[in-house]
Short mmCIF file of all heavy atoms in Angstrom, two decimals:
data_model
loop_
_atom_site.label_atom_id
_atom_site.label_comp_id
_atom_site.label_asym_id
_atom_site.label_seq_id
_atom_site.Cartn_x
_atom_site.Cartn_y
_atom_site.Cartn_z
N LYS A 27 1.70 22.68 -0.16
CA LYS A 27 2.73 21.81 -0.51
C LYS A 27 2.32 20.33 -0.21
O LYS A 27 1.88 20.04 0.83
CB LYS A 27 3.94 22.17 0.27
CG LYS A 27 5.23 21.44 -0.04
CD LYS A 27 6.40 22.00 0.72
CE LYS A 27 7.71 21.24 0.38
NZ LYS A 27 8.84 21.72 1.13
N LYS A 28 2.61 19.48 -1.24
CA LYS A 28 2.27 18.02 -1.05
C LYS A 28 3.42 17.37 -1.83
O LYS A 28 3.60 17.49 -3.08
CB LYS A 28 1.04 17.54 -1.71
CG LYS A 28 0.63 16.33 -1.28
CD LYS A 28 -0.91 16.02 -1.66
CE LYS A 28 -1.30 14.50 -1.24
NZ LYS A 28 -2.72 14.26 -1.41
N GLY A 29 4.19 16.54 -1.06
CA GLY A 29 5.34 16.01 -1.61
C GLY A 29 6.26 17.04 -2.11
O GLY A 29 6.67 17.96 -1.41
N ASN A 30 6.75 16.83 -3.30
CA ASN A 30 7.71 17.84 -3.96
C ASN A 30 6.94 18.78 -4.85
O ASN A 30 7.54 19.52 -5.54
CB ASN A 30 8.74 17.21 -4.79
CG ASN A 30 8.27 16.42 -5.97
OD1 ASN A 30 7.03 16.17 -6.14
ND2 ASN A 30 9.04 16.21 -6.91
N ILE A 31 5.50 18.97 -4.73
CA ILE A 31 4.79 19.95 -5.49
C ILE A 31 4.38 21.14 -4.46
O ILE A 31 3.87 20.87 -3.42
CB ILE A 31 3.60 19.32 -6.09
CG1 ILE A 31 3.94 18.05 -6.92
CG2 ILE A 31 2.63 20.24 -6.82
CD1 ILE A 31 4.67 18.40 -8.15
N LEU A 32 4.64 22.34 -4.99
CA LEU A 32 4.08 23.49 -4.24
C LEU A 32 3.33 24.23 -5.24
O LEU A 32 3.69 24.79 -6.31
CB LEU A 32 5.32 24.33 -3.70
CG LEU A 32 4.93 25.76 -3.25
CD1 LEU A 32 3.94 25.57 -1.94
CD2 LEU A 32 6.25 26.40 -2.68
N GLN A 33 2.08 24.38 -4.99
CA GLN A 33 1.10 25.23 -5.65
C GLN A 33 0.96 26.66 -5.00
O GLN A 33 0.49 26.58 -3.84
CB GLN A 33 -0.19 24.61 -5.89
CG GLN A 33 -1.33 25.60 -6.69
CD GLN A 33 -0.91 25.90 -7.95
OE1 GLN A 33 -0.79 24.95 -8.90
NE2 GLN A 33 -0.78 27.10 -8.35
N VAL A 34 1.17 27.71 -5.59
CA VAL A 34 1.05 29.06 -5.03
C VAL A 34 -0.31 29.46 -5.61
O VAL A 34 -0.51 29.55 -6.83
CB VAL A 34 2.18 29.98 -5.44
CG1 VAL A 34 1.84 31.37 -4.85
CG2 VAL A 34 3.55 29.40 -4.93
N ALA A 35 -1.18 29.92 -4.60
CA ALA A 35 -2.58 30.30 -5.04
C ALA A 35 -2.24 31.72 -5.71
O ALA A 35 -1.29 32.40 -5.56
CB ALA A 35 -3.45 30.52 -3.83
N GLY A 36 -3.35 32.12 -6.28
CA GLY A 36 -3.37 33.43 -7.01
C GLY A 36 -3.05 34.62 -5.99
O GLY A 36 -3.67 34.82 -5.08
N GLN A 37 -1.97 35.33 -6.22
CA GLN A 37 -1.46 36.50 -5.45
C GLN A 37 -1.88 37.84 -6.19
O GLN A 37 -1.79 37.89 -7.33
CB GLN A 37 -0.04 36.45 -5.14
CG GLN A 37 0.54 35.20 -4.41
CD GLN A 37 -0.27 34.98 -2.98
OE1 GLN A 37 0.06 35.83 -2.19
NE2 GLN A 37 -0.96 33.95 -2.83
N VAL A 38 -2.10 38.77 -5.43
CA VAL A 38 -2.41 40.07 -5.93
C VAL A 38 -1.43 41.15 -5.42
O VAL A 38 -0.54 40.69 -4.53
CB VAL A 38 -3.81 40.52 -5.72
CG1 VAL A 38 -4.88 39.62 -6.55
CG2 VAL A 38 -4.16 40.58 -4.16
N GLY A 39 -1.46 42.35 -5.75
CA GLY A 39 -0.67 43.40 -5.38
C GLY A 39 -0.87 44.12 -4.05
O GLY A 39 -0.73 45.33 -3.98
N PHE A 40 -1.24 43.26 -2.89
CA PHE A 40 -1.39 43.81 -1.77
C PHE A 40 -0.07 43.97 -1.00
O PHE A 40 0.74 43.03 -1.22
CB PHE A 40 -2.26 42.79 -0.89
CG PHE A 40 -3.79 42.87 -1.19
CD1 PHE A 40 -4.49 41.81 -0.92
CD2 PHE A 40 -4.39 43.85 -1.92
CE1 PHE A 40 -5.83 41.74 -1.18
CE2 PHE A 40 -5.74 43.90 -2.26
CZ PHE A 40 -6.50 42.81 -1.86
N GLY A 41 0.14 45.00 -0.27
CA GLY A 41 1.31 45.20 0.44
C GLY A 41 1.43 44.26 1.63
O GLY A 41 0.39 43.49 1.92
N PRO A 42 2.35 44.12 2.50
CA PRO A 42 2.48 43.30 3.61
C PRO A 42 1.40 43.65 4.52
O PRO A 42 0.85 44.69 4.69
CB PRO A 42 3.73 43.61 4.21
CG PRO A 42 4.63 44.20 3.07
CD PRO A 42 3.81 44.89 2.20
N ALA A 43 0.93 42.49 5.29
CA ALA A 43 -0.19 42.63 6.24
C ALA A 43 0.15 43.58 7.38
O ALA A 43 1.28 43.65 7.87
CB ALA A 43 -0.46 41.18 6.71
N VAL A 44 -0.75 44.36 7.75
CA VAL A 44 -0.88 45.26 8.84
C VAL A 44 -1.97 44.97 9.75
O VAL A 44 -3.14 45.02 9.25
CB VAL A 44 -0.82 46.76 8.45
CG1 VAL A 44 -0.81 47.60 9.63
CG2 VAL A 44 0.27 47.10 7.44
N PRO A 45 -1.64 44.36 11.05
CA PRO A 45 -2.82 43.99 11.77
C PRO A 45 -3.81 45.10 12.09
O PRO A 45 -3.50 46.28 12.17
CB PRO A 45 -1.99 43.75 13.14
CG PRO A 45 -0.63 43.50 12.77
CD PRO A 45 -0.36 44.22 11.59
N GLY A 46 -4.96 44.71 11.97
CA GLY A 46 -6.28 45.59 12.07
C GLY A 46 -6.52 46.43 10.90
O GLY A 46 -7.47 47.27 10.80
N GLN A 47 -5.81 46.23 9.77
CA GLN A 47 -6.17 46.93 8.59
C GLN A 47 -6.47 45.87 7.37
O GLN A 47 -5.86 44.89 7.31
CB GLN A 47 -4.94 47.85 8.08
CG GLN A 47 -4.66 48.98 8.91
CD GLN A 47 -3.54 49.87 8.34
OE1 GLN A 47 -3.07 49.68 7.25
NE2 GLN A 47 -3.07 50.89 9.08
N ALA A 48 -7.42 46.23 6.59
CA ALA A 48 -7.83 45.45 5.53
C ALA A 48 -6.61 45.58 4.34
O ALA A 48 -5.98 46.63 4.30
CB ALA A 48 -8.97 45.96 4.93
N PRO A 49 -6.44 44.46 3.62
CA PRO A 49 -5.42 44.59 2.58
C PRO A 49 -5.79 45.56 1.42
O PRO A 49 -7.00 45.78 1.30
CB PRO A 49 -5.36 43.09 2.09
CG PRO A 49 -6.55 42.49 2.52
CD PRO A 49 -7.03 43.18 3.67
N ALA A 50 -4.82 46.24 0.86
CA ALA A 50 -5.13 47.08 -0.09
C ALA A 50 -3.91 47.08 -1.09
O ALA A 50 -2.83 46.77 -0.82
CB ALA A 50 -5.12 48.50 0.38
N PRO A 51 -4.24 47.33 -2.38
CA PRO A 51 -3.14 47.31 -3.43
C PRO A 51 -2.08 48.40 -3.09
O PRO A 51 -2.37 49.41 -2.54
CB PRO A 51 -3.90 47.82 -4.71
CG PRO A 51 -5.37 47.61 -4.50
CD PRO A 51 -5.65 47.72 -3.04
N VAL A 52 -0.89 48.18 -3.47
CA VAL A 52 0.27 48.94 -3.24
C VAL A 52 0.22 50.19 -4.04
O VAL A 52 0.92 51.17 -3.60
CB VAL A 52 1.61 48.31 -3.44
CG1 VAL A 52 1.81 47.18 -2.43
CG2 VAL A 52 1.71 47.81 -4.78
N GLY A 53 -0.57 50.21 -4.97
CA GLY A 53 -0.70 51.44 -5.91
C GLY A 53 -1.53 51.22 -6.99
O GLY A 53 -1.98 50.14 -7.24
N PRO A 54 -1.86 52.30 -7.73
CA PRO A 54 -2.98 52.16 -8.82
C PRO A 54 -2.29 51.63 -10.15
O PRO A 54 -3.10 51.37 -11.10
CB PRO A 54 -3.41 53.53 -8.96
CG PRO A 54 -2.26 54.41 -8.65
CD PRO A 54 -1.47 53.63 -7.44
N THR A 55 -0.91 51.62 -10.28
CA THR A 55 -0.36 51.22 -11.65
C THR A 55 -0.10 49.79 -11.77
O THR A 55 0.06 49.04 -10.77
CB THR A 55 0.97 51.99 -11.77
OG1 THR A 55 1.90 51.55 -10.90
CG2 THR A 55 0.88 53.56 -11.60
N LEU A 56 -0.10 49.41 -13.02
CA LEU A 56 0.21 47.97 -13.40
C LEU A 56 1.57 47.59 -12.82
O LEU A 56 1.83 46.60 -12.30
CB LEU A 56 0.08 47.77 -14.82
CG LEU A 56 0.34 46.28 -15.26
CD1 LEU A 56 -0.64 45.33 -14.69
CD2 LEU A 56 0.62 46.20 -16.70
N ARG A 57 2.60 48.52 -13.11
CA ARG A 57 3.96 48.28 -12.61
C ARG A 57 3.94 48.07 -11.06
O ARG A 57 4.60 46.93 -10.58
CB ARG A 57 4.93 49.38 -12.88
CG ARG A 57 6.29 49.34 -12.33
CD ARG A 57 7.29 50.33 -12.94
NE ARG A 57 7.67 50.02 -14.21
CZ ARG A 57 8.50 49.02 -14.70
NH1 ARG A 57 9.21 48.39 -13.77
NH2 ARG A 57 8.83 48.80 -15.85
N GLU A 58 3.53 48.94 -10.20
CA GLU A 58 3.36 48.73 -8.78
C GLU A 58 2.81 47.41 -8.40
O GLU A 58 3.33 46.71 -7.60
CB GLU A 58 2.65 49.91 -8.05
CG GLU A 58 3.37 51.25 -8.26
CD GLU A 58 2.45 52.32 -7.80
OE1 GLU A 58 1.28 52.49 -8.37
OE2 GLU A 58 2.81 53.10 -6.93
N GLN A 59 1.65 47.23 -8.96
CA GLN A 59 0.91 46.01 -8.55
C GLN A 59 1.64 44.72 -8.98
O GLN A 59 1.65 43.59 -8.26
CB GLN A 59 -0.54 46.00 -9.10
CG GLN A 59 -1.32 46.99 -8.33
CD GLN A 59 -2.89 46.99 -8.83
OE1 GLN A 59 -3.30 45.86 -9.02
NE2 GLN A 59 -3.61 48.10 -8.45
N THR A 60 2.20 44.75 -10.20
CA THR A 60 2.80 43.52 -10.79
C THR A 60 4.12 43.19 -9.93
O THR A 60 4.39 42.02 -9.57
CB THR A 60 3.08 43.63 -12.25
OG1 THR A 60 1.95 43.91 -12.92
CG2 THR A 60 3.85 42.42 -12.86
N LEU A 61 4.96 44.20 -9.69
CA LEU A 61 6.08 43.91 -8.92
C LEU A 61 5.69 43.37 -7.56
O LEU A 61 6.37 42.45 -7.02
CB LEU A 61 7.02 45.09 -8.81
CG LEU A 61 7.53 45.52 -10.14
CD1 LEU A 61 8.36 46.95 -10.00
CD2 LEU A 61 8.62 44.57 -10.57
N GLN A 62 4.69 43.97 -6.82
CA GLN A 62 4.32 43.43 -5.62
C GLN A 62 3.77 42.08 -5.58
O GLN A 62 3.97 41.22 -4.72
CB GLN A 62 3.23 44.44 -4.89
CG GLN A 62 3.07 44.03 -3.45
CD GLN A 62 4.07 43.94 -2.51
OE1 GLN A 62 4.97 45.07 -2.47
NE2 GLN A 62 4.36 42.94 -1.74
N THR A 63 3.06 41.78 -6.63
CA THR A 63 2.31 40.59 -6.83
C THR A 63 3.49 39.42 -6.98
O THR A 63 3.42 38.46 -6.33
CB THR A 63 1.38 40.44 -7.93
OG1 THR A 63 0.39 41.43 -7.90
CG2 THR A 63 0.88 39.07 -8.24
N LEU A 64 4.51 39.81 -7.84
CA LEU A 64 5.63 38.83 -7.91
C LEU A 64 6.37 38.55 -6.68
O LEU A 64 6.77 37.44 -6.27
CB LEU A 64 6.59 39.28 -9.10
CG LEU A 64 6.11 39.22 -10.45
CD1 LEU A 64 6.83 40.04 -11.42
CD2 LEU A 64 5.95 37.71 -10.97
N ARG A 65 6.51 39.76 -5.84
CA ARG A 65 7.17 39.54 -4.57
C ARG A 65 6.34 38.65 -3.70
O ARG A 65 6.79 37.80 -2.82
CB ARG A 65 7.43 40.80 -3.96
CG ARG A 65 8.60 41.63 -4.63
CD ARG A 65 8.99 42.87 -3.87
NE ARG A 65 7.97 43.96 -3.94
CZ ARG A 65 7.93 44.98 -4.81
NH1 ARG A 65 8.87 45.13 -5.77
NH2 ARG A 65 7.04 45.85 -4.69
N ASN A 66 5.06 38.80 -3.69
CA ASN A 66 4.12 37.95 -2.93
C ASN A 66 4.18 36.53 -3.33
O ASN A 66 4.25 35.66 -2.39
CB ASN A 66 2.65 38.47 -2.96
CG ASN A 66 2.56 39.91 -2.30
OD1 ASN A 66 3.34 40.26 -1.55
ND2 ASN A 66 1.43 40.58 -2.64
N VAL A 67 4.26 36.22 -4.61
CA VAL A 67 4.30 34.81 -4.98
C VAL A 67 5.72 34.32 -4.48
O VAL A 67 5.76 33.21 -3.94
CB VAL A 67 4.33 34.75 -6.60
CG1 VAL A 67 4.75 33.37 -6.94
CG2 VAL A 67 2.92 35.12 -7.19
#
Side-chain angles (χ1 to χ4, degrees):
K27 186 175 179 181
K28 187 168 184 175
N30 68 335
I31 303 293
L32 172 60
Q33 175 65 57
V34 178
Q37 302 294 303
V38 294
F40 290 155
V44 177
Q47 290 184 9
V52 294
T55 69
L56 182 67
R57 174 169 288 281
E58 291 168 307
Q59 288 190 29
T60 300
L61 290 173
Q62 184 63 48
T63 300
L64 289 164
R65 287 190 290 268
N66 290 344
V67 170

